[in-house]
């Protein structure tokens, strides 16, 4: 079944990288449907701020199970309207592309203003920031965050290990 496949994939990741956090980004307007399943297997769970359920209640449930909380933010999200949520989470995931869920999109440079806004929040030291979408050797130097996600850039590279090393060092030591 599909549920068995998801479970197998998470168990496989955990087996290969036992000391790494498993982060789950639930892309659903009704994440409570999936929450219990991922609370068993994940270390960090991201919920979209636009969900149709009470996000604060779900974030408390995640924390009560000893897991880290996160919010996922679309480019269309007005950050000033969700300022209160930043104090409720351990991590923020900014989706820096126009259409989350589709690969090979270009980085939306309007994300730089969102990153700046987030980095200037008074409680910024209390949560980590991850930027996901359109990250490559040209855009990485503009990103001011603790973490990045770069799928297509790495997976389509002729030398994925070298690409990862380059992105990790933001290209400071070697030109591609």
């Amino acid at each position: 079944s599909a549920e068995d496949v998801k479970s197998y994939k998470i168990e496989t990741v955990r087996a290969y990288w036992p000391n790494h956090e498993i982060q789950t980004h639930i892309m659903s307007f009704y994440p409570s449907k999936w929450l219990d399943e991922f609370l068993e297997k994940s270390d960090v769970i991201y919920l979209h701020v636009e969900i149709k359920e009470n996000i604060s209640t779900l974030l408390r449930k995640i924390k009560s199970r000893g897991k880290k909380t996160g919010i996922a933010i679309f480019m269309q999200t007005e950050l000033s309207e969700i300022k209160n949520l930043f104090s409720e989470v351990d991590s923020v995931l900014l989706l820096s592309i126009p259409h989350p869920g589709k690969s090979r999109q270009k980085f939306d440079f309007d994300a730089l203003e969102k990153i700046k806004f987030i980095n200037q929040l008074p409680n910024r030291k209390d949560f980590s920031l991850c930027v996901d979408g359109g990250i490559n050797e040209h855009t990485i130097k503009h990103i001011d965050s603790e973490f990045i996600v770069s799928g297509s850039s790495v997976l389509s590279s002729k030398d994925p290990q070298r690409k990862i090393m380059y992105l990790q060092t933001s290209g400071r030591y070697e030109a591609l």
Side-chain angles (χ1 to χ4, degrees), residues 4 31 36 55 60 78 87 91 95 108 112 129-130:
D4 293 333
D36 286 333
I55 193 165
R60 282 192 299 276
E78 183 54 53
S87 63
S91 192
L95 303 171
D108 184 339
L112 297 179
L129 174 60
C130 179

Side-chain angles (χ1 to χ4, degrees), residues 107-162:
F107 180 79
D108 184 339
F109 278 90
D110 289 341
L112 297 179
E113 283 302 312
K114 291 192 179 296
I115 293 168
K116 183 177 179 182
F117 179 94
I118 291 167
N119 284 335
Q120 291 177 348
L121 289 169
N123 66 321
R124 175 60 178 90
K125 67 184 181 321
D126 298 333
F127 61 87
S128 64
L129 174 60
C130 179
V131 179
D132 179 0
I135 308 295
N136 59 37
E137 65 273 11
H138 305 293
T139 57
I140 186 72
K141 59 185 159 239
H142 302 288
I143 309 300
D144 184 13
S145 68
E146 291 87 348
F147 304 102
I148 58 110
V149 175
S150 180
S152 300
S153 177
V154 171
L155 296 174
S156 64
S157 173
K158 290 180 181 165
D159 188 347
Q161 288 179 319
R162 183 174 177 198

Side-chain angles (χ1 to χ4, degrees), residues 15-144:
Y16 275 103
W17 297 285
N19 299 320
H20 285 71
E21 281 186 332
I22 301 293
Q23 298 187 5
T24 301
H25 171 192
I26 302 177
M27 293 183 75
S28 171
F29 285 121
Y30 300 95
S32 61
K33 176 181 177 183
W34 309 100
L35 198 53
D36 286 333
E37 174 187 352
F38 288 113
L39 279 168
E40 293 177 26
K41 301 174 174 101
S42 302
D43 302 305
V44 182
I45 298 178
Y46 290 96
L47 305 175
H48 281 276
V49 298
E50 292 86 0
I51 64 173
K52 306 292 184 198
E53 301 175 286
N54 186 303
I55 193 165
S56 293
T57 299
L58 294 177
L59 292 171
R60 282 192 299 276
K61 180 177 182 177
I62 294 167
K63 280 193 185 278
S64 76
R65 296 279 294 271
K67 307 298 179 166
K68 292 181 183 176
T69 58
I71 52 173
I73 300 172
F74 291 123
M75 286 300 299
Q76 301 85 348
T77 303
E78 183 54 53
L79 297 182
S80 61
E81 293 177 11
I82 61 162
K83 274 179 127 172
N84 61 321
L85 286 177
F86 291 102
S87 63
E88 296 185 43
V89 297
D90 301 298
S91 192
V92 172
L93 175 64
L94 176 62
L95 303 171
S96 54
I97 52 176
H99 307 287
K102 295 181 182 178
S103 293
R104 302 189 189 283
Q105 293 182 66
K106 295 200 181 304
F107 180 79
D108 184 339
F109 278 90
D110 289 341
L112 297 179
E113 283 302 312
K114 291 192 179 296
I115 293 168
K116 183 177 179 182
F117 179 94
I118 291 167
N119 284 335
Q120 291 177 348
L121 289 169
N123 66 321
R124 175 60 178 90
K125 67 184 181 321
D126 298 333
F127 61 87
S128 64
L129 174 60
C130 179
V131 179
D132 179 0
I135 308 295
N136 59 37
E137 65 273 11
H138 305 293
T139 57
I140 186 72
K141 59 185 159 239
H142 302 288
I143 309 300
D144 184 13

